[in-house]
Every structure is written in C-alpha cells, then in structure tokens.
Amino acid sequence: MPKGLKPVRRKVAALDARAQAAQAARAAAQGTVARLWDLYRDSPEWRALKPRTRSDYQKVRDWLGKAAERAVLRRIVTAEIVHLRDKAFREKGRRFANYVVQVLRILLAWGKLRGHLDGNPAAEVPALRKPVGAAKVNRAWSAAEVAAFAAAAPPQLLAPFALGLFAGMRQGDALIVTWKAYDGVALRWIAGKNGEACMAPVTAELKKILDDAKAHRGETLQIATTSTGSAWTQNGFRASFFKLVRKLVKAGKLQPGCTFHGLRHTLAAGARDAGESESRVAAAIGDRSPAMAQIYGRDADRQGAQMAILEAAQKRFANIEWKTRTENASKKPAKRTPRNPEKA
C-alpha cells in the first residue's frame, strides 16, 4: 500500500467510528427514560390526568434530572429502580421514595404497551413500609379535639374547617369552593382530585357557620377567605392552620397528628362505627369505589349516601360550641359593598 494512502485511510476509519458512535448515541437517546417521558407527556393518558397529578409526576421527573437521559430503557433492571427508591428515601423521605417507584411503574407500563421495552422493571419493587411505632398520618380527630379547635379557631379558619369536617371536602376544594355551590340547603361541587360530583346537606352548625360567613362576605367569590377578605392560597392556609394546631398541641388540647385531611378520616370513622358500608362511606367523602361502579343507579346511591352520612356527622358534632364571628365580635362589622353587583 502506498505510504500516502495510510493517513487517508486512518482518517476515514476515524470518521466512520465517529459516525457509528453518533448513530449509536442517537439510537440510545431514542430509547431512554427521558425520551419515553416526553412521549408520555404527549399522550391521551397524560392529558386525562388532573393538573395536580401532572404536577406531582413532574416533580419525580425533575428529581431524576439527567439520570433519565442516560437510562436506556432496555437495559434497566429492577435493582436500578430499587437503587433510585433508596436514593429518594435518603434525600426526600419515605413517601417521596414510594412515589418515585409508583410514577416509574406507570411510565414503564405505558412504554411496555407501546413496545419501547419488553418488561416493567419497576413492577415488583415493593414500597418502603412505615417504621413500627411511627405516628399515623391524617388520623381521625377525636370529639374533644374537634371541640378544642372549634373554640380556638378564628372565623377565617373556622369556615374551611367546617367544610372539611361536615362536608368531607379536601383542603383544595374547601379553599376554592364558591358561594354558587351553596343554595342555603345543600352544597354541590366537583371534587378537584378525581372529578366526582359531590353533595352535602347543610344543617346544624355548618349552616350557622356558612350563613354567618355569607353575611360578612366581601368581594371574594370563595366561601373560605382570609381575615382581610381575600382568597386563601394553599400555602397560606396551611401555615395558619398548623400554627393553631401546634399551639393547641403545646397547650395539651390536641394530640400530635391532627391534619386537615384527617377530618375526612373523622367522617369515615364515624360512619363505619354507625354501621355504614365501605362503598357508602367512599361515596360520602367523594372517593371513587370499584364496587360502586357496579351498582345500578350509581349516582343516586352516591347522593343518598352523601346526604345521609354527612347529615349524621353534622348532628354528631352539634353539641360542640362553635363561635361565629357575629358572636365573637362586640360589634358587627359593616358589610362591604361588592364592586360588581352580580357578585352579591
């Protein structure tokens, strides 16, 4: 071979190797977790998710970061998912670690159905169990704890608290539900988490609290408002709510573990103690139940369960002293005139 051709051939070989490496890199990128995530986000399944669920899923993707770009789908093994779970546990705790596994399980199952990988390495990864002796999250409140909070809560906390306890609303719904949902007899709203149509009777103390709040409403459309009459933010309410909870725990009037979501557990526990079935309890607090979907006349059954169980709960706590702002105030505040008469 002529000497002049050797350098040329070496250059050609180097260019070929570079081209093959680039092609392999492109092929790998098409089969990574990051690429699968992009495809999933453009799917009907993603668009069917609630905004809050999409946001929670995205937090997992953000946490994965560049690791998702390096993870080739067909090379992932179960041990790697376990490693990610354990890393998430060290960095963010048990609940987030289990959520990472849950989201990856859903994502990889979606990819498997579309031929992006042969199996689902996250399918058999167990969730991390709560440590023995750990406090229960979102436990039910006792009657004494409900009474203590009701006696101490200012009006801006009392209204959403009552919506959680007596109507079974989640915190998100309790803070955004508007006066259009209340007709003086019942509350009707769509649950933000699952889109379920919900209904609650308004009797006893709940009616007293809502009517008092309505008499003092300002320009805000929401039932629950701050002390200045503006709509609550989720973080703002949470901070104020737990500030009062911590104060009452320190005073020995509440036991640790009282949360807003625990009010739904309080409803469920009372209904079960009264002999209600699991499906009717689920219906009453706006949860979806596979069993309920098989019952003829599902919507009518759900509404009946909601009205019966929630009315019973309102009667159960009727002997608790709930102070409205009218009773707390030495002088009734002047009613603010809305800027827009249609909001009155």
Side-chain angles (χ1 to χ4, degrees):
M1 178 183 299
K3 290 184 179 180
L5 290 178
K6 287 183 179 180
V8 174
R9 294 207 169 191
R10 281 197 295 270
K11 287 182 181 179
V12 171
L15 289 172
D16 285 343
R18 243 180 264 165
Q20 290 174 4
Q23 185 177 4
R26 285 194 298 271
Q30 291 297 314
T32 62
V33 170
R35 175 57 179 162
L36 186 63
W37 181 265
D38 291 341
L39 293 173
Y40 179 54
R41 283 194 47 145
D42 195 37
S43 70
E45 288 84 355
W46 175 270
R47 288 192 289 273
L49 297 174
K50 293 288 180 183
R52 171 63 185 272
T53 305
R54 294 183 199 174
S55 175
D56 289 343
Y57 281 19
Q58 187 61 45
K59 289 175 184 176
V60 173
R61 173 63 185 93
D62 293 342
W63 179 80
L64 290 172
K66 291 188 177 297
E69 300 171 10
R70 298 189 297 267
V72 178
L73 290 171
R74 295 187 181 276
R75 296 179 188 170
I76 299 175
V77 295
T78 299
E80 291 176 295
I81 305 296
V82 173
H83 173 74
L84 279 174
R85 182 202 66 182
D86 295 347
K87 180 183 177 184
F89 172 75
R90 290 192 297 271
E91 294 181 4
K92 290 181 171 288
R94 183 181 64 86
R95 292 186 66 185
F96 184 78
N98 288 337
Y99 199 63
V100 167
V101 175
Q102 179 184 336
V103 172
L104 286 175
R105 186 179 296 132
I106 291 169
L107 175 67
L108 297 178
W110 184 89
K112 178 184 175 183
L113 289 174
R114 288 154 183 81
H116 294 283
L117 66 167
D118 298 326
N120 185 346
E124 297 182 3
V125 176
L128 293 172
R129 298 180 63 179
K130 184 163 52 175
V132 176
K136 290 184 179 180
V137 178
N138 299 323
R139 64 168 178 81
W141 294 52
S142 69
E145 288 171 329
V146 170
F149 191 94
Q156 65 268 24
L157 293 181
L158 190 63
F161 182 80
L163 291 173
L165 178 65
F166 293 137
M169 287 189 185
R170 297 175 178 86
Q171 178 183 300
D173 293 332
L175 298 187
I176 66 172
V177 67
T178 68
W179 287 110
K180 287 184 178 180
Y182 178 47
D183 62 7
V185 177
L187 284 161
R188 293 175 178 82
W189 74 100
I190 303 297
K193 182 176 181 179
N194 54 25
E196 287 291 314
C198 297
M199 182 176 183
V202 177
T203 66
E205 297 303 323
L206 178 58
K207 180 170 177 59
K208 185 178 176 182
I209 292 167
L210 292 187
D211 289 347
D212 181 74
K214 192 170 186 179
H216 294 82
R217 62 178 294 200
E219 300 173 6
T220 313
L221 297 178
Q222 286 81 7
I223 294 175
T225 61
T226 67
S227 58
T228 60
S230 61
W232 278 108
T233 64
Q234 297 289 333
N235 289 338
F237 175 78
R238 194 176 293 113
S240 295
F241 177 82
F242 280 110
K243 181 180 180 180
L244 179 56
V245 167
R246 287 192 294 271
K247 178 181 177 181
L248 293 174
V249 168
K250 187 175 181 180
K253 295 180 179 180
L254 298 183
Q255 293 300 310
C258 288
T259 65
F260 191 91
H261 198 74
L263 298 174
R264 288 166 55 79
H265 289 240
T266 307
L267 276 173
R272 282 195 296 268
D273 289 344
E276 292 285 358
S277 67
E278 292 293 335
S279 59
R280 281 174 60 83
V281 171
I285 60 176
D287 277 341
R288 286 177 175 167
S289 168
M292 287 298 291
Q294 301 171 8
I295 299 176
Y296 180 76
R298 177 177 179 273
D299 290 342
D301 284 343
R302 285 183 62 83
Q303 188 178 93
Q306 287 177 325
M307 297 300 283
I309 291 174
L310 297 178
E311 185 174 357
Q314 292 170 27
K315 290 179 179 177
R316 190 163 61 249
F317 291 100
N319 61 340
I320 288 175
E321 188 175 358
W322 300 78
K323 291 290 188 181
T324 64
R325 79 179 72 193
T326 300
E327 293 170 326
N328 279 329
S330 57
K331 183 178 179 182
K332 183 177 179 180
K335 188 190 301 184
R336 282 182 283 180
T337 304
R339 295 174 191 166
N340 184 352
E342 293 179 0
K343 294 181 181 178

